[in-house]
């Protein structure tokens, strides 16, 4: 039996009070709950504060480029569909630099669990507006306030018929629920996106832990996550009340399920070389 | 004996079918063949041509002139008749070329009419053209039947028969109205029949033969041919071919797959490669093996998207931020392309680095007739930490310092050992570091140690020609064939040699062959490149300190053609 | 008065029967209707079949890279907000390679009219699946059929609160309506996306002109394009019946309206150089 | 007189405030100042330091050792005490450094306690440190009051007063307990007060002064400083500063804005530049002026994101597919950065090309004390077809062939003439073509003709030193200051010179200054670079055929420091 401490990694370099600690601890609990052996899963991350997380636990790790988590995660799954793959990214990473990959990972329905550390700001680069930053927020680069409409990742994912769309909140009160959401997301066969509201004590002085805490609530029991239009409607709720939970899910087949070459074995387990190329040569005669 | 045919017309008029079938026909008939395509960036209309030379000896380049021009439209006649050889002929149909043409060279065949009379669909005019060509060349029609099926999408017996009937009608008509033109002796080949193969297929085949299990790319002319070929074999070979949403994704997917334990490749042209350079740098610091086919076309930007150029050498050599090792191969024939693709996979995995196959539209699309490749010559060695190597392994560090700089390459999930890779500078375990000593050790391990060993892996350039030549022609990549034929031609008159590089970087050492001494001693050295700024000559100078006496450049999007190149070289002799 | 013939450009290189001809002619009619002087508007396009269009009419033209129309169009508008800017792109161009720019152009609400020549295929590169290609479609690269869920551009745009979202059909029956839609889109102050169903006679043998014609219908009179959830619901309709028209619009301010430096004059009309840098130098003392 | 202070501690402990205020203080006090920051890629924690040297003569590099170490935590003492000069001191607070430290060099000041006693917030420990430092140096506290306000976000009178009170408490305490350490004579400057300026500010200022109206970028360390500076001035200067969704968008936006008629710029670091290379090539073929600041950090990939390196030179030189002209400047001081940014805008528009300002984290973040820049030296010429030039203009072709290769640059919408640009190869009108003759003409116009003229625009390298030196040190870019100080130091003992390049490409001609002859005649030439593969030495060889005798490289992410570099050069003399 693996315990929480078995997932201890490097010393985190986050600011004291950063919401990333809660996400890290919740994840470790999920690993314990699901009895995930460290070598049986891979965490892919980009560049940003949240993206440092895999170093702070025990797992196979691909800490790649800013914005490019999902292509790497997709490549891993296609090469080894027996590997559990989590992708961790910041809101800048995943909705900014990497926005295109998100769209297409959702379309593919690749069996990857995406956790977005959404602190509504670029943390590591010191406080610029991110795609989820509220309109009007003043930063060094936007001294008269950010002008763009903040991106609603849940609505967008639902519009793309993402097979699992959820939001969690990384504050004490929200953690047990977040833990359940992430567990469901990992268990889900197909692409699962969990947008996690995370405070940044240093650069986001508005959407603080308390700000979220006052607003976040759980989608009511009896909420039907299979109704796409209703899910869309609920995803638009933002402001005084912010719903968390699994907004939408469907059971369209995962990408891997559609690939006949993966029917028997993952690519990585298949024969390496084939000496006899004569059939291919003959075809060219 | 040597005979050239140029078929000209609009896109959509079946040039590829006519040219493709004829090239295959000639190969099957026992000739050596070389074919070349010149096409515009559009699906219908415009002006394109397809040129085939066949002969009784190896052919490796495009001829400036031809013996038979098949004109599918009037512009073809206007644009191409002046390059017809003496005694050459122009085969055409009045109906599609604005009426009867005057002149002895014209062979007037009512192709469309013949098709109509048989109630066959208009597209079968292509088969009629083929029938007429074969008649004119005095070659039998029968083998056509076994070939046409491979070139049409719906290969039913009925459609094949119908195509044959149409071809036959034109064949009979041509026989009846025109004497057969040249006397074309069917060459008898000593050994096995030849393959007809282009560079894209050769690279694709090389990938299959090297255990490539993953190919991710975004469509881009002229690189798409590789993807098409591999996709066609994917089911059989157990390969995932993934059309990515963009080139950034393509290379990152390939790195993900490679990290997960399979041999992975991507391919693109210059514009797509530009988008991959950040991922290339990621391959560099994470030491993830990957093979990249960069298939050049004339730039900058969209440039001339369906044409050829060798203008990305320095970009591929220096692309990506920061400093890391890489290998670049630039094959000159499908044969080189096949074996070098195999060597690319071999070195990529052995040294855990990105390796390039740099090709171009010319190599990608031209067809060579070649003997079968020999699978026994392939590198097929697995460098991963697998099976027995894992038994009892106590600890594992992805970036362990070693004598060679190469750390053991484990597969995540294969054992309890974790595989941690990082785009930040890292320690032996793969975790982020910022201290100077670790950084220094990693640069030494990753860059200096590996580069030193990589140099030893590179084969010397090829040299054809005299021992103490008056002049040496220098070239690299896809110009191989035309350079070789040009030098062979000039060798009658001059003491001349060809120094040819297909393994470009790192530059070959001098131990096995001191080509620098050869260059220094030659009174004249001429570097020939399909670009405007003599990129290879600059690399050559950087690596050997030798500056070529003359530079021949071509940057109009067209390949060098044999007779013109002979003339250009001759001018410097 | 400008007439249709005043917008004659280079000879098109499209296949006979290609839906792009209808789009070209409709656009020229729009130019006539709106009395747009050729020099008063700029068409930005990418690389693809539809992207060749600006050469076939008369206008300022920036025919840039595959996938990058919207950043160029945005740059033009920011430099000169008196210029009318249209962006033309293929479905591959705009939803594939350029997907990220679409998300963020919508968020900005930059005053650009985007026309997507959506033939559900990569035309210029000869028939690969595009983001809107139906699942299961066989191509050379996808010999066992495309596996991804086709992208629903309208639903995605609505989820991003795009201020103008429409679909047109480039078949004879749909042209007058398309013309009206494009006119509205150009008149709209803010980002307007018009997805145009266009046949490709060469590479899309399924979604032919007739296939579209049988299915396309106009959103009913009385349809309320300001109801976002309803617009989302209607955007999901696809199959036997395909709605066309303006699905959604809102009047959030355009990006340019929010930029104080553009209040008086476009950048391009503002003073070029300022000799006196002493205030800035003094600040460094 | 020269005095160095190093302040060490964790991110979040106020290093930037302490260092920033002190540097400003010393400048205002009439000293020359040089400051340097060493920080980790994290917002809190880790280990960072800030180093300031002040003196009565121009300072241009980092010292290896220092006279005063301000230790905000225990690791600082452990890590840095060994580099303390003889008679140097360590100022610290027992409370934050794990208790009392034994040793004569320790100056123990209860900073936290003093803050607490005043009921001031903990962050004000920074002001206390400053007060203590000033006391120790025997400098007056009063000027602190006028400076602190610029360094805190909420600049109310109350908070300023409170900071002052805290500083004063520490000042008084230190005065009471320790003799003032060195006798620091306040230098008297001949003329105007100096600016304290870093490379980012200088580039930003250069952009303002050159009529830049559009800056698009995606945040990336260490390039963000330029964007921050310009964003702060945008309202005043009428500039749109756009945070793009990615770097691809940033460069394409800049090209759109430039096409639309305004001077446009983008900036990024290596990884972001990798993503811009396709757009760079687009600038090349469309002939759209653009200025690109490429601010280097150690790669590959994420590398050491907050540190310094000169490892993207060859990437910037050869980045982008296809062949097109470009200019690269690599300034060595804020002064050079300012004037070269201006020249970059000038040449970009004059020749309608991309021009680079290549900087690095060292240049970006270090602060120099410099005299005011002189606006009269600026290029401020408008090359667009505007106003009178448009009157009566009958026709316009964006890519008209001209003697110079430069076609008139019109602004869309300014007249009835249409401006048509294309990423495909095009004719004079800007419409797509595929024929060979037009292609050849365009390559000649765009590349050959312009490059020939561009060469004439480049200033010769700088040379400091003897006429017939025994040894020449060669360098480029941000190492200027340390090279100059090192060579000045060695000049006492050796006949040595410094050959320094800040205008890198095209390479300077020899007409004005035959630096190649100089190099060839010197018995020893030593190329010093902040990278692993001697990229500049390779360019130098390619352009001049001169190979340096020795190469000094540093690739640990840290800049060269003066004494160490002197030692390394000395070893080769
Ligand atoms: C190509 C590229 N562009 C820019 C950067 C710089 N960069 C690093 S992290 C980051 C944004 C961080 O924001 P987010 O993704 O929200 O993560 P957070 O730090 O807030 O957790 C940026 C812009 C980079 N590393 N690579
Ligand atoms: C960076 C880059 N990648 C790939 C290409 C090749 N390419 C040109 S057009 C095109 C797709 C065309 O499809 P679409 O955008 O739907 O336009 P259509 O031709 O169907 O109108 C591609 C992949 C390119 N020009 N640039
Ligand atoms: S800057 Fe913000 S996101 Fe980053 S570690 Fe600190 S609190 Fe967390
Ligand atoms: S290939 Fe298709 S989209 Fe392209 S021109 Fe032909 S019909 Fe039109
Ligand atoms: Mg964030
Ligand atoms: Mg399309």
């Amino acid at each position: 039996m693996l315990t929480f401490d078995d997932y201890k990694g490097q010393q985190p370099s986050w600011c004291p009070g950063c919401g990333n600690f809660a996400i890290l601890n919740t994840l470790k609990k999920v690993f314990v709950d699901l009895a995930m052996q460290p070598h049986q899963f891979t965490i892919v991350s980009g560049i940003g504060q949240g993206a440092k997380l895999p170093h702070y636990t025990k797992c196979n790790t691909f800490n790649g480029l800013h914005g490019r988590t999902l292509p790497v995660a997709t490549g891993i799954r296609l090469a080894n569909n027996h590997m559990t793959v989590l992708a961790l990214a910041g809101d800048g990473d995943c909705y900014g630099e990497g926005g295109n990959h998100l769209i297409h990972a959702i379309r593919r329905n690749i069996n990857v669990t995406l956790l977005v550390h959404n602190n509504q700001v670029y943390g590591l680069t010191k406080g610029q507006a991110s795609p989820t930053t509220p309109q009007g927020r003043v930063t060094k680069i936007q001294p008269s306030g950010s002008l763009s409409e903040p991106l609603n990742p849940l609505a967008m994912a639902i519009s793309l018929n993402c097979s699992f769309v959820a939001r969690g909140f990384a504050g004490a009160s929200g953690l047990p629920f977040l833990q359940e959401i992430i567990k469901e997301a990992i268990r889900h066969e197909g692409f699962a996106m969990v947008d996690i509201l995370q405070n940044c004590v240093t650069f986001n002085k508005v959407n603080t832990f308390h700000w979220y805490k006052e607003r976040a609530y759980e989608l009511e029991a009896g909420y039907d996550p299979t109704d796409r239009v209703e899910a869309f409607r609920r995803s638009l709720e933002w402001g005084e009340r912010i719903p968390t939970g699994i907004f939408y899910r469907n059971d369209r087949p995962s990408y891997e399920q559609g690939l006949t070459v993966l029917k028997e074995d993952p690519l990585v387990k298949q024969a390496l070389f084939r000496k006899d190329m004569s059939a291919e040569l003959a075809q060219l005669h | 004996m040597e005979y050239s045919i140029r078929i000209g017309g609009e896109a959509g008029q079946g040039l590829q079918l006519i040219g493709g079938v004829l090239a295959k026909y000639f190969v099957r008939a026992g000739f050596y063949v070389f074919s070349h395509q010149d096409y515009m960036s559009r699906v219908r209309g415009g002006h394109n041509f397809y040129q085939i030379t066949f002969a009784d000896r190896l052919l490796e380049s495009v001829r400036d002139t031809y013996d038979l021009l098949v004109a599918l439209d009037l512009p073809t006649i206007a644009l191409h008749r002046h390059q017809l050889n003496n005694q050459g002929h122009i085969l055409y149909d009045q109906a599609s070329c604005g009426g009867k043409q005057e002149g002895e060279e014209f062979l007037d065949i009512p192709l469309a009419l013949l098709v109509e009379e048989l109630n066959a669909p208009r597209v079968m005019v292509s088969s009629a053209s083929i029938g007429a060509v074969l008649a004119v060349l005095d070659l039998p029609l029968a083998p056509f039947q076994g070939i046409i099926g491979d070139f049409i999408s719906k290969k039913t017996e009925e459609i094949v028969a119908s195509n044959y009937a149409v071809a036959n009608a034109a064949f009979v008509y041509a026989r009846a109205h025109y004497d057969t033109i040249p006397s074309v002796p069917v060459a008898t080949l000593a050994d096995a029949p030849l393959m007809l193969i282009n560079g894209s297929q050769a690279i694709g085949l090389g990938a299959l033969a090297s255990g490539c299990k993953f190919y991710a790319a975004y469509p881009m002319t002229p690189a798409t041919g590789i993807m098409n070929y591999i996709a066609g074999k994917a089911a059989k070979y157990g390969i995932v071919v993934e059309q990515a949403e963009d080139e950034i994704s393509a290379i990152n997917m390939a790195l993900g797959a490679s990290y997960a334990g399979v041999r992975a490749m991507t391919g693109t042209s210059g514009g797509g490669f530009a988008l991959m350079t950040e991922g290339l740098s990621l391959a560099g610091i994470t030491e993830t093996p990957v093979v990249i086919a960069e298939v050049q076309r004339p730039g900058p930007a969209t440039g001339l998207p369906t044409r050829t150029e060798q203008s990305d050498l320095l970009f591929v050599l220096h692309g990506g931020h920061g400093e890391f090792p890489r290998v670049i191969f630039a094959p000159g024939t499908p044969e080189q392309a096949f074996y070098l693709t195999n060597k690319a996979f071999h070195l990529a995995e052995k040294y855990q680095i990105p390796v390039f196959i740099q090709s171009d539209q010319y190599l990608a699309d031209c067809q060579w007739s070649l003997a079968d490749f020999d699978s026994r010559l392939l590198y097929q060695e697995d460098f991963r930490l697998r099976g027995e190597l894992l038994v009892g392994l106590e600890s594992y560090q992805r970036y362990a310092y070693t004598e060679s700089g190469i750390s053991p390459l484990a597969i995540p999930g294969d054992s309890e050992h974790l595989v941690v890779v990082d785009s930040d500078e890292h320690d032996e375990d793969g975790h982020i570091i910022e201290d100077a000593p670790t950084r220094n050790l990693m640069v030494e391990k990753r860059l200096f140690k590996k580069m030193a060993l990589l140099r030893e892996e590179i084969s010397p350039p090829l040299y054809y020609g005299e021992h103490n030549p008056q002049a040496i022609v220098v070239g690299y990549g896809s110009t191989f064939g035309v350079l070789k034929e040009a030098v062979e031609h000039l060798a009658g008159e001059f003491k001349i040699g060809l120094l040819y590089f297909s393994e470009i970087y790192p530059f070959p050492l001098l131990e096995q062959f001191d080509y620098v001494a050869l260059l220094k001693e030659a009174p004249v050295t001429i570097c020939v490149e399909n670009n405007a700024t003599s990129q290879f000559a600059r690399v050559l100078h950087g690596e050997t300190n030798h500056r070529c006496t003359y530079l021949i450049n071509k940057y109009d999007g067209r390949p060098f053609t044999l007779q013109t190149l002979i003339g250009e070289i001759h001018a410097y002799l």
Side-chain angles (χ1 to χ4, degrees), chain B residues 345-357:
Chain B
F345 275 99
H346 175 75
L347 294 182
E349 192 172 280
K350 183 169 177 188
Y351 291 94
Q352 307 169 22
I353 54 166
V355 180
F356 288 92
I357 294 289

Side-chain angles (χ1 to χ4, degrees), chain B residues 423-444:
Chain B
S423 73
D424 291 88
E425 194 55 276
H426 41 253
D427 58 19
E428 291 180 273
D429 286 318
H431 293 303
I432 304 177
I433 61 92
E434 299 209 25
D435 68 291
T438 309
R439 163 75 176 178
N440 282 336
L441 284 169
M442 280 296 160
V443 173
E444 278 151 30

Side-chain angles (χ1 to χ4, degrees), chain B residues 6 9 32 39 76 91 111 113 175 224 226 297 325 358 365 368 386 401 403 428 437 466 484 520 526 528 544:
Chain B
R6 178 173 287 188
Y32 285 95
Y39 58 99
T76 299
L91 192 158
L111 301 165
L113 201 74
R175 276 282 168 97
T224 314
I226 302 171
R297 64 192 214 188
Q358 200 173 37
D365 289 342
W368 275 250
R386 253 188 245 265
Y401 301 130
E403 189 59 31
E428 291 180 273
E466 300 279 340
K484 188 154 150 274
K520 297 265 177 246
I526 307 167
V528 181
T544 66

Side-chain angles (χ1 to χ4, degrees), chain B residues 39-42 220 248 269-279 281-282 284-285 294 297-307 309-312 314-324 422-425 433-437 439-441 443-444 446-448 505 530-535 538 541-545 547 554-558:
Chain B
Y39 58 99
M40 295 183 74
S41 178
R42 52 192 289 171
M220 189 161 193
I248 302 172
S269 187
F273 172 66
L275 295 166
M276 289 187 181
T277 51
E278 194 195 13
S281 182
L282 177 64
I285 200 162
E294 203 259 353
R297 64 192 214 188
T302 310
L304 293 166
T306 58
R307 303 189 181 275
E309 196 163 79
Q310 295 182 295
S311 55
D312 295 341
L314 290 169
F315 185 27
V316 163
L317 184 54
H318 299 295
H321 54 299
E323 298 167 297
F324 53 92
D422 195 345
S423 73
D424 291 88
E425 194 55 276
I433 61 92
E434 299 209 25
D435 68 291
R439 163 75 176 178
N440 282 336
L441 284 169
V443 173
E444 278 151 30
R446 187 167 60 218
L447 180 60
F448 299 147
Y505 191 79
N530 221 161
N531 60 39
T533 61
S534 296
Q535 301 192 16
R538 284 148 77 191
H541 172 248
E543 299 286 333
T544 66
N545 218 16
R547 274 221 203 272
K554 189 168 172 64
Y555 45 83
D556 63 358
R558 277 72 180 171

Side-chain angles (χ1 to χ4, degrees), chain A residues 13-21 48-50 52 119 121-124 126 198-204:
Chain A
S13 69
W14 296 311
C15 313
C18 174
N20 277 315
F21 288 103
Q49 295 287 23
K52 297 176 184 170
N119 53 7
V121 75
Y122 282 19
L124 191 60
K126 309 203 166 166
Q198 171 228 324
N199 67 318
C200 167
V201 295
T202 308
F203 296 113
N204 190 339

